[in-house]
Structures are given as C-alpha cells and as structure tokens.
C-alpha cells in the first residue's frame, strides 16, 4: 500500500460515518455561499500566528523576522554590540497586530537568545543540533533555514543543502512539510518541491536601496547589493511564501490536530513523569502497555486512527 | 482556479464595505498604538497574509461541511416535501403512517455537492409527533435525541486519544418547527415543545402549507404567533445583526418570522417557464414567488446567509451549556471549596482519592466478611470433629466391654473343662478299684477299662 496514502492528514475528512448516498441536486441551492459566510466570520475574528526563531544571536534572526513581516518586530541588534551571551536559554516573546487588506493577524514572535551552536557554514549539523532537532520535530513544525547565506556561493549553497538534507534523513528528522501529512497527489507534488529546497538559504535585510531605478530591500556590500526578494540572489521569497502565503493555515492545523493532541494524550496518561509546574497535580499512573517515547506516539497515532476506523 | 478568483472577487465586494473606513495598510510612517500588551504595527510593504481567509476556505473545502436539520411537526404537515424543495432534491423517503404509538426520530444523512463545496446533510424527522391521543410525552424523545448527540460529542471530546477533526458531528444545528396553518394561535403542544427545546437548539418556526391561509389572515396569524412566543418566553433563533454586510437583511427577515412556506417538487408551466408550484383549480401557487409565500426567504436565511452562524451558535452556546451542566453533574467545578479556582486535574485528583478511599473501605468490608465466614466454618468443622471423636471413644468403650465379657466367658468355659476332666479322672479310678483280689479277672478289668474308652 502506498505509504503516503496510508495516513490521513489532519485536514481531510475521514469516512468515519457510514457511507451516505450521494444526491444529485436538480438546480442551484446556494450551499456554496457558506464559504463567504466563513470568510466574513474569519475576517471578523482575525487570525493568530505564533512563530519561534531558534539559533545563535548574530545569525540575523531579528532581521529575518523583520523582513518577513516588513515591520520592526524587533530592534535588530548590530553584531558585536550585544551584551554577553546569557548562560541559560531565555525565551523572549513579542506580540504585534498587523493588518493587510482588512485581514488582521496577531503575530507572536519568540526569540531564543543564548541557544548553543549555530548551523555553521562549512560544517554539517552538529550532534547538539541533531539531538535538538529530533526532539523538536516531535512537538512542533520545524523549518530549518540557512542563515547568512550571503557568504556562500550558489554551488556551496547547494552542496551545503544536500549535506543537511542527508543529515536530516539519516537521523529521521521530519521537518515541515512532513511527508506523512500529504493528503493527495497535488499536495505531494507541491510539498516535494518544497522539501527539495529545504533548508532555504536566506538573507535578511530591512533597509531599502535603489537598484536599477527600483527600490528594493537588500544588503549593501562592497561588491554589490544583495536583493532579498530576488530569487536569483537568495531564497527568501520561498520561505515567505511557504510560511505566510500558502501554508500558514496548514501549519496551524497540524499544530492543533497533531502536536497538541499528542501532548494531550501524554499529559493525560503519564503526567507523573513530566516536570512539575505551578498547579501541577498527579493524575492516575499510566497503564503498563502505553508507549513511553513521545516520538513514537505521533506515528502510532495515525496507525491507531486507521485501526479505529476499521474496527 | 477560476472559481477561486470568482469567490475572491465576491468576497472583495463584502470586504469593500468593511474596509471603507480602515486606513491603508501601506504607509510610510510606523504607527504604534498600545493595545494592552500587543502593539499595532503598520507594514512597509505587501507581506501576503491577506490570503489567509482563502487558505482557511481551502482547508474547509477539503474537510467538507456538515449540517444537521431537525424537523418537528405533525405527520403530513409537509416536512419532507419542504426539505426536498429547499435542497432541490428528491430525497428518498416514504410517507409515514399516522398510527405510531410513540414519537420516534428518524435520521438520514446525504452527501450533497455544489461546485466544490461538499455538504454532509443530515435530516432528522419526528415520526408520529402529535398523533397520539395522549400528547404529554411527545416532546421528550426529541429532547432526549438532542441531548444524546451532545453527549456523544462530549464523550469524544473527553477521550484521551480523540480525533475531533474526523468526528462526524451529529449535533442538531437548526430545528425547523412546523406550525399548522389554523390561522388562530399556537397549540399547547407547540408551546410546550418549543419551550423545552429553546435552550438546546436554534429554533426557526415556519407556518406550513401556507397556501391554506389568505394574505390578510396570514399577517394577523404571524403577529399572534410571535406575541404568544414572546409572552411565553420562548427563545427562537434570531438572525445575527452584528456584521454590517448582512445586518440589514437579517434584521428585516427577523421581522417577518415565522416564514409562511409552501413546498413542492412538482413543476407547472407558468408563462414560458417550468416552475415549482402547486396547481389548484383556481390558480397556481408558485413556490419561488415571493408574493405567494416566504419559501425563498427561508432558503436564503437558512442556507445562503446564516448556515455558518447556526453551526457556530450550536457549538458555542447550546453545546457549551449542555457541557457545563453535564460536567457539573459529574462533580466537576471551576472553583473548589472556599471559592478558589480549581483546575480539572484537581477535581480528578479529588475524585480519585474518593474513589480509592471507597474502594479501600469496600475491600476492608469484604475482608471482614470473609474472615467471619472462615471462622464460622472452622467452628462448624471443629464441632463435627468433636462429635466424631466422641463417637469413636464410645465405640471403643463398647468394644472394650464386649471383649471383657468374652474373656470372662472363656475363662469360665476353661474352668468347666478343667473341672470336667478332673471328675472324669476321679471316676475312672473308682471303676478300677473293686477288681484288686487275686485271681481277679485282669482281662475283664482291662476290657472294662478299654471299653470305657470306646
């Protein structure tokens, strides 16, 4: 059986109810007007999106976020002028509401200053990165990005990308878009193309320059201006399109339907092994047959859904 | 993608009215307004998240929609016909009998598709409603059915391993209540039924078979009905008026409730078109003619304008109410004793303690009972043992006595034997003595001696 078809995506309906007869309508009824009703409701409520950027400071994370959302989310710290790297990992969030054509988006960006090693230009993923990515991929959608790509030539970029892809594959790290959530052929084709280009090599810039009479976002260097939104220069547009223009809703859906549900199952079953926080209460201990590693739960989950369906 | 574009344009027209007064997103200066912790930022260029509503719509298209309608009304009032007409389909259904002893609910699910919108439509019919002589229990099965759907959803929600996005939502989104076109007032049964349903489901009352009432009578009837509903505190569904695009039309429709409807799937030629209508000797009642009946208004409101709101209200209002009541019934509360906020876990923990305590107590009890029984059995067995022992002793004694008696007898017998032998010996000696003279006859003595032994 085609492994890609086996597991249902969180966004597609299942035939969990008995087969209902399809009916032919003899004329227009107006059912499709429900889509507009949905849109109106969505516009009224607004959208939310939470993004976390991970990597050592100095890689251009703040600039990248600013470039993505074309606004000063963060004051980007110039290199060298930041304080000493904090010893412990601190999370730092900021929330903004941005609006475009009537669509309101409440965006929360979380930064992680003080995170360990970087994805260095001439090395592969280090053991720390690998361990971190493995754990992270089980709880959240991860999009790896090659930062500061302006110091790599196109060939170096490709080589580095292949190395990283190989590393990810060897250690079974499933980054977004995850293969197991492809619903149909179209999705698979589209997502395969994306998966081929991950990690995107990006450059961030929040200054505008004049190039050939056009005003573009870019980084000015002695040997030229790197245009951020020029596909020939860097892959920033790909990242932006993936994150914002085409897959934002999908990211949210997977987080809600898969990652949160997995967490919930673990939390309700094995709360006695999780670290205690305020208001923590020990729930009933887990029965002996439950799987213990969270990573397996995600995969098992879909198998279980299928078996629920069959039973 | 053409439909995409078309829909986008359609939505834009809605948006146009919305955004007329909003500032342009492309501006040179940054404006920061403090809204609590979140700041409003203006972007310096086009980012592209205006496609978010479309992404949402695409996802919904993939998932498909679910809509469940409950039709309450007497047999023969035209429920099935109206549904057929509303959805322009001939759903398979048979005419119901009028002789059912109880009210039953019959649910049928159909898959409809219009362009790329897939709708899973469930129609629930009340069979036998109002047919019984004793009408008291007519509405209870309906209430039970609605509660059962809520309960099923709640159970799924509370499962540890759940799949809500896969779940076929069977909760009733709207109840079409069919009122008989008597022209007078609401029947008691109608009032009672609607009153018991109004906090559980969105009710849209309709006047069925409206071609039986004249226009003037209809106006009076509508006013009478609405005032009776209001004076009895029945909360029917109000079309929402908070969004500017549809506020006006919804408000005007609210004023025309209940809709007087006529249903028909038969087509009659009017002018040069075939229209859905009912043909009478005196004329033709056209279903989709707004001068003849409110059918078009009902279809507009129910499907084209407010279907999403009906689903929303069901989930966020009616289901939430059911859920709250049910969880409180089960013993959960958001605030514990001393009114401190209490999390669900704390309640679970408290309940678990209680449960274990109870179980412990029961175990103890059972243990006691068991020990008691063992003691009793032991006593009984001991008693039996004692009896046996006594019997054994008794038997032994008897045996002993017998033995002694026999011993005695034997001794006596032996003594007798000895006495007898002595006597015999003595008597023989006496026999031999008279023959001691010489010449005696030793032979004769011998013979005598011998013959004694023969």
């Amino acid at each position: 059986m085609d492994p890609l078809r086996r597991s249902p995506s969180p966004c597609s309906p299942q035939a969990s109810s008995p087969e209902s007869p399809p009916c032919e309508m003899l004329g227009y009824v107006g059912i499709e007007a429900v889509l507009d009703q949905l849109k109106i409701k969505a516009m009224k409520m607004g959208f939310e999106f939470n993004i976390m950027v991970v990597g050592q400071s100095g890689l251009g994370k703040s600039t990248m976020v600013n470039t993505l959302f074309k606004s000063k989310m963060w004051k980007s710290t110039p290199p060298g002028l930041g304080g000493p790297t904090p010893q412990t990992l601190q999370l730092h969030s900021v929330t903004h509401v941005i609006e475009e054509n009537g669509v309101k988006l409440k965006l929360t960006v979380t930064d992680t200053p003080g995170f360990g090693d970087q994805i260095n230009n001439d090395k592969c993923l280090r053991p720390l990165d690998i361990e971190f990515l493995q754990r992270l991929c089980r709880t959240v959608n991860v999009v790896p990005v090659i930062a500061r790509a302006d110091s790599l030539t196109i060939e170096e970029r490709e080589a580095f990308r292949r190395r990283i892809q190989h590393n990810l594959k060897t250690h079974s790290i499933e980054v977004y878009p995850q293969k197991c959530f492809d619903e149909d052929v179209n999705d698979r084709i589209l997502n395969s193309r994306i998966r081929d280009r991950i990690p995107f090599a990006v450059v961030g810039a929040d200054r505008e320059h004049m190039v050939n009479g056009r005003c573009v976002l870019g980084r000015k260097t002695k040997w030229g201006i790197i245009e951020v939104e020029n596909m020939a220069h860097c892959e920033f547009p790909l990242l932006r399109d993936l994150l914002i223009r085409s897959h934002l809703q999908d990211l949210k859906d997977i987080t809600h339907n898969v990652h949160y549900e997995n967490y919930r199952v673990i939390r309700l079953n094995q709360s006695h092994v999780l670290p205690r926080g305020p208001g923590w209460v020990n729930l009933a201990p887990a029965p002996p047959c439950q799987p213990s590693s969270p990573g397996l739960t995600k995969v098992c989950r879909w198998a279980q859904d299928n078996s629920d369906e069959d039973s | 993608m053409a439909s995409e574009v078309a829909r986008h344009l359609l939505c834009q027209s809605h948006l146009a009215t919305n955004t007329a007064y909003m500032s342009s997103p492309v501006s040179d200066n940054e404006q920061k307004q403090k809204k609590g912790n979140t700041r409003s930022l203006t972007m310096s260029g086009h980012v592209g998240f205006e496609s978010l509503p479309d992404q949402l719509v695409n996802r919904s298209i993939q998932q498909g929609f679910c809509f469940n309608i409950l039709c309450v009304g007497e047999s023969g009032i035209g429920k099935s016909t109206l549904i057929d007409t509303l959805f322009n389909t001939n759903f398979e259904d048979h005419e119901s009998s009028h002789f059912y002893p109880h009210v039953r609910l019959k649910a049928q699910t159909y898959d409809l598709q219009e362009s790329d919108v897939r709708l899973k439509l469930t129609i629930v019919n009340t069979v036998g409603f109002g047919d019984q002589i004793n009408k008291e229990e007519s509405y209870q099965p309906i209430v039970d059915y609605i509660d059962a759907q809520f309960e099923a959803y709640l159970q799924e929600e509370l499962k540890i391993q759940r799949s809500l996005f896969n779940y076929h939502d069977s909760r009733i989104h709207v109840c079409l209540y069919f009122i008989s076109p008597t022209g007078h007032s609401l029947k008691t049964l109608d009032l009672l039924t609607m009153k018991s349903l109004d906090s559980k489901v969105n009710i849209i009352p309709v006047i069925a078979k409206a071609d039986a009432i004249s226009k003037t009578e209809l106006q009076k009837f509508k006013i009478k009905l609405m005032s009776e509903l209001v004076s009895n505190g029945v909360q029917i569904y109000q079309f929402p008026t908070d969004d500017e695009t549809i506020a006006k039309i919804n408000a005007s429709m609210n004023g025309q409730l209940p809709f007087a409807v006529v249903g028909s799937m038969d087509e009659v030629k009017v002018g040069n078109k075939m229209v859905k209508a009912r043909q009478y000797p005196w004329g033709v009642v056209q279903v989709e003619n707004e001068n003849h009946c409110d059918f078009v208004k009902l279809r507009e409101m129910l499907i084209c304008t407010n279907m999403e709101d009906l689903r929303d209200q069901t989930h966020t209002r009616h289901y939430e109410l059911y859920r709250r009541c049910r969880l409180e019934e089960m013993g959960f509360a958001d605030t514990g004793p001393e009114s401190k906020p209490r999390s669900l876990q704390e309640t679970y923990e408290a309940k678990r303690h209680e449960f274990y305590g109870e179980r412990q107590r029961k175990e103890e009890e059972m243990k006691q009972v068991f020990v008691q029984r063992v003691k009793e059995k032991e006593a009984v067995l001991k008693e039996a043992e004692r009896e046996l022992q006594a019997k054994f002793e008794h038997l032994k004694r008897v045996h002993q006595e017998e033995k002694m008696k026999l011993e005695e007898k034997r001794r006596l017998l032996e003594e007798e034997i000895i006495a007898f032998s002595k006597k015999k010996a003595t008597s023989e000696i006496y026999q031999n003595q008279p023959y001691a003279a010489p010449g005696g006859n030793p032979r004769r003595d011998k013979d005598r001696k011998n013959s004694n032994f023969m």
Side-chain angles (χ1 to χ4, degrees):
Chain A
M1 196 166 39
D2 187 351
L4 288 170
R5 283 217 191 284
R6 159 202 52 173
S7 41
S9 141
C11 319
S12 75
Q14 267 297 312
S16 53
S17 53
E19 278 303 313
S20 23
C23 284
E24 267 306 313
M25 290 187 297
L26 305 168
Y28 181 77
V29 172
I31 297 176
E32 63 169 3
V34 73
L35 298 176
D36 290 320
Q37 298 173 31
L38 258 186
K39 266 201 194 147
I40 295 176
K41 181 171 106 172
M43 305 273 290
K44 194 166 66 164
M45 286 200 316
F47 294 83
E48 271 187 312
F49 194 52
N50 307 321
I51 183 172
M52 179 189 270
V53 281
V54 178
Q56 199 187 33
S57 26
L59 278 184
K61 298 198 303 286
S62 322
T63 317
M64 172 53 53
V65 171
N66 286 350
T67 320
L68 263 178
F69 293 100
K70 297 244 168 80
S71 38
K72 286 255 184 294
M73 291 274 157
W74 303 95
K75 297 227 169 0
S76 45
T77 42
L81 292 182
T85 316
Q87 290 304 309
T88 53
L89 192 64
Q90 286 168 357
L91 298 178
H92 179 213
S93 288
V94 78
T95 306
H96 293 292
V97 174
I98 43 181
E99 192 176 317
E100 190 173 77
N101 243 338
V103 178
K104 287 196 268 288
L105 177 65
K106 185 162 140 188
L107 183 69
T108 304
V109 185
T110 307
D111 193 13
T112 54
F115 177 68
D117 291 347
Q118 60 199 6
I119 298 178
N120 213 324
N121 282 354
D122 34 308
K123 297 188 171 65
C124 315
L125 293 177
R126 296 206 182 153
L128 171 72
D129 290 323
I130 295 198
E131 176 75 23
F132 184 61
L133 277 172
Q134 275 178 332
R135 283 176 193 233
L136 217 54
C137 277
R138 291 187 202 131
T139 37
V140 76
N141 300 318
V142 176
V143 178
V145 153
I146 301 174
R148 290 219 176 275
D150 43 338
S151 55
L152 291 173
T153 65
I154 303 282
E155 295 83 18
E156 285 170 344
R157 224 189 260 173
E158 276 310 304
F160 188 47
R161 195 200 319 276
R162 298 290 160 218
R163 262 208 307 277
I164 302 272
Q165 282 177 354
H166 180 74
N167 271 330
L168 292 176
K169 197 161 166 191
T170 330
H171 293 97
S172 340
I173 297 172
E174 276 228 45
V175 298
Y176 184 82
Q178 296 95 335
K179 242 195 198 146
C180 51
F181 298 141
D182 283 341
E183 296 160 36
D184 54 23
V185 189
N186 295 331
D187 266 4
R188 218 182 320 151
I189 294 176
L190 181 69
N191 289 343
S192 296
R193 250 183 261 151
I194 297 172
R195 280 190 282 267
D196 197 52
R197 310 292 283 156
I198 280 188
F200 298 124
V202 293
V203 174
D206 46 9
R207 289 219 186 85
E208 291 185 339
H209 307 274
M210 290 302 287
V211 171
N212 296 339
R214 287 176 304 130
C215 195
V216 292
L217 272 178
R219 288 194 62 196
K220 190 163 184 176
T221 63
K222 289 198 187 80
W223 43 89
I225 295 179
I226 308 168
E227 293 168 49
V228 164
E229 280 169 323
N230 189 335
M231 271 300 293
H233 291 197
C234 82
E235 288 164 351
F236 171 80
L238 284 180
L239 178 68
R240 178 199 56 205
D241 287 348
L242 176 73
L243 281 187
I244 301 173
R245 292 190 186 171
S246 56
H247 284 70
L248 201 149
Q249 187 62 45
D250 190 47
L251 285 162
K252 286 171 68 172
D253 287 338
I254 294 187
T255 306
H256 183 66
N257 293 330
V258 179
H259 297 304
Y260 172 68
E261 288 295 322
N262 281 344
Y263 173 79
R264 185 175 174 275
V265 169
I266 295 172
R267 185 79 176 86
L268 291 179
N269 272 336
Q270 298 177 326
S271 64
H272 61 280
V273 293
L274 285 180
R276 302 177 185 219
W280 177 91
V281 174
N282 189 8
L283 300 177
C289 57
Q290 283 290 336
S292 50
S293 88
L296 283 176
T297 312
K298 175 162 109 178
V299 177
C300 285
R301 179 167 205 277
W302 296 113
Q304 203 156 10
D305 265 355
N306 279 330
S307 62
D308 280 346
E309 210 197 326
D310 293 336
S311 60
Chain B
M1 281 293 152
S3 55
E4 263 271 299
V5 174
R7 215 175 300 115
H8 188 67
L9 290 173
L10 193 62
C11 190
Q12 291 288 47
S13 63
H14 284 294
L15 294 176
T17 43
N18 254 343
T19 62
Y21 62 94
M22 288 180 189
S23 55
S24 152
V26 179
S27 98
D28 299 320
N29 328 326
E30 244 173 76
Q31 300 161 6
K32 290 185 195 149
Q33 299 151 342
K34 287 230 176 264
K35 270 189 204 177
N37 288 336
T38 67
R39 294 144 59 196
S40 274
L41 285 190
T42 320
M43 301 162 308
S44 57
H46 179 74
V47 174
F49 61 85
E50 58 178 353
S51 68
L52 275 176
D54 290 317
Q55 292 184 36
L56 188 66
V57 160
N58 281 339
R59 197 259 323 244
S60 303
I61 288 178
Q62 276 177 337
Q63 265 184 327
F65 293 86
C66 193
F67 196 50
N68 307 321
I69 304 180
L70 169 68
C71 294
V72 180
E74 313 173 335
S75 317
I77 206 170
K79 306 188 285 285
S80 309
T81 314
L82 184 68
I83 296 292
D84 280 357
T85 322
L86 268 175
F87 290 96
N88 217 342
T89 320
N90 283 310
F91 294 119
E92 283 146 30
D93 208 2
H94 308 289
E95 270 180 26
S96 326
S97 139
H98 283 257
F99 296 104
Y100 290 114
H102 305 287
V103 175
R104 285 184 311 123
L105 281 99
K106 199 165 69 148
Q108 297 265 58
T109 307
Y110 308 96
D111 275 328
L112 300 174
Q113 179 147 3
E114 190 171 85
S115 64
D116 35 353
V117 175
R118 280 175 302 126
L119 179 70
K120 214 175 196 53
L121 179 72
T122 302
I123 308 289
V124 185
N125 243 313
T126 51
V127 179
F129 185 75
D131 278 346
Q132 295 83 30
I133 294 182
N134 181 2
K135 298 193 203 299
E136 273 171 11
E137 290 303 297
S138 284
Y139 54 84
Q140 195 56 43
I142 304 177
V143 173
D144 291 341
Y145 181 86
I146 295 178
D147 277 346
Q149 309 317 306
F150 282 150
E151 183 68 27
Y153 190 87
L154 181 67
Q155 289 304 323
E156 183 66 31
E157 199 183 50
L158 291 180
K159 270 195 200 163
I160 293 186
Q161 193 96 286
R162 63 188 187 178
S163 53
L164 278 178
F165 58 84
N166 262 351
Y167 182 75
H168 177 212
D169 191 1
S170 59
R171 299 173 294 178
I172 302 292
H173 300 122
V174 67
C175 168
L176 288 178
Y177 196 95
F178 289 71
I179 297 173
S180 257
T182 58
H184 292 169
S185 61
L186 275 178
K187 293 193 239 181
T188 317
L189 174 63
D190 292 337
L191 264 176
L192 283 177
T193 311
M194 280 200 267
K195 194 90 182 87
S196 66
L197 292 177
D198 68 355
S199 60
K200 290 185 182 290
V201 73
N202 302 313
I203 301 181
I204 297 184
V206 295
I207 301 171
K209 301 205 170 192
D211 49 350
I213 319 184
S214 75
K215 219 171 181 135
T216 35
E217 276 179 354
L218 187 62
Q219 266 313 103
K220 277 194 257 171
F221 191 33
K222 280 191 184 184
I223 294 173
K224 186 91 207 297
L225 287 175
M226 288 310 282
S227 74
E228 282 198 337
L229 287 173
V230 166
S231 62
N232 281 288
V234 176
Q235 306 232 331
I236 58 172
Y237 176 74
Q238 293 291 304
F239 304 118
T241 48
D242 42 357
D243 184 83
E244 296 93 14
T245 33
I246 51 176
K248 222 170 91 176
I249 182 100
N250 274 350
S252 117
M253 291 293 180
N254 276 330
Q256 301 192 42
L257 284 171
F259 293 133
V261 292
V262 173
S264 170
M265 285 301 280
D266 299 328
E267 299 208 322
V268 172
K269 189 156 188 170
V270 172
N272 51 1
K273 285 198 300 169
M274 293 296 281
V275 293
K276 290 207 198 64
R278 286 176 64 78
Q279 173 128 60
Y280 291 105
W282 47 88
V284 175
V285 177
Q286 296 161 42
V287 168
E288 283 166 319
N289 185 333
E290 294 206 49
N291 288 325
H292 290 197
C293 73
D294 297 331
F295 172 79
V296 173
K297 297 194 178 78
L298 176 67
R299 187 176 59 192
E300 267 292 313
M301 289 290 102
L302 182 67
I303 302 174
C304 307
T305 315
N306 297 303
M307 183 152 76
E308 187 56 32
D309 185 66
L310 284 163
R311 282 153 38 100
D312 209 33
Q313 291 286 320
T314 306
H315 181 67
T316 56
R317 197 148 61 93
H318 300 298
Y319 170 69
E320 277 304 313
L321 180 64
Y322 176 84
R323 182 180 179 275
R324 189 169 73 223
C325 294
R326 193 76 179 89
L327 288 180
E328 277 170 7
E329 245 177 73
M330 291 201 250
F332 295 102
D334 284 333
T335 56
E338 302 136 39
S339 296
K340 280 204 288 237
R342 187 159 78 148
S343 72
L344 206 64
Q345 300 156 323
E346 286 170 32
T347 316
Y348 271 129
E349 180 67 0
K351 278 205 172 287
R352 206 168 63 86
H353 269 284
E354 208 184 292
F355 171 71
Y356 281 152
E358 184 68 29
R359 197 171 79 172
Q360 197 89 330
R361 203 180 55 74
K362 279 224 169 93
E363 255 178 47
E364 273 306 311
E365 221 178 272
M366 279 177 69
K367 226 187 249 178
Q368 295 292 11
V369 168
F370 180 70
V371 165
Q372 187 66 19
R373 289 244 179 94
V374 165
K375 272 204 189 116
E376 281 172 17
K377 195 73 182 189
E378 236 177 34
V380 163
L381 283 175
K382 261 210 175 80
E383 185 61 42
E385 199 185 322
R386 244 181 287 136
E387 264 176 49
L388 268 174
Q389 188 77 359
K391 250 198 198 144
F392 175 68
E393 296 285 309
H394 177 74
L395 274 174
K396 199 160 127 182
R397 249 182 290 128
V398 164
H399 173 77
Q400 208 73 331
E401 276 171 22
E402 281 289 317
K403 194 165 158 185
M404 268 173 27
K405 275 196 193 136
L406 283 173
E407 282 288 328
E408 185 67 33
K409 270 198 182 146
R410 184 164 125 180
R411 195 177 55 82
L412 282 172
L413 201 64
E414 276 189 357
E415 270 178 13
E416 256 184 60
I417 290 178
I418 291 172
F420 180 70
S421 326
K422 267 196 192 142
K423 246 193 203 161
K424 192 173 110 170
T426 321
S427 79
E428 272 178 12
I429 291 172
Y430 280 143
Q431 271 187 332
N432 286 338
Q433 268 187 334
Y435 303 105
N441 202 343
R443 206 202 234 174
R444 255 196 273 146
D445 291 347
K446 240 198 210 168
D447 281 358
R448 260 189 239 127
K449 267 202 226 162
N450 287 341
S451 68
N452 277 342
F453 289 98
M454 287 190 196

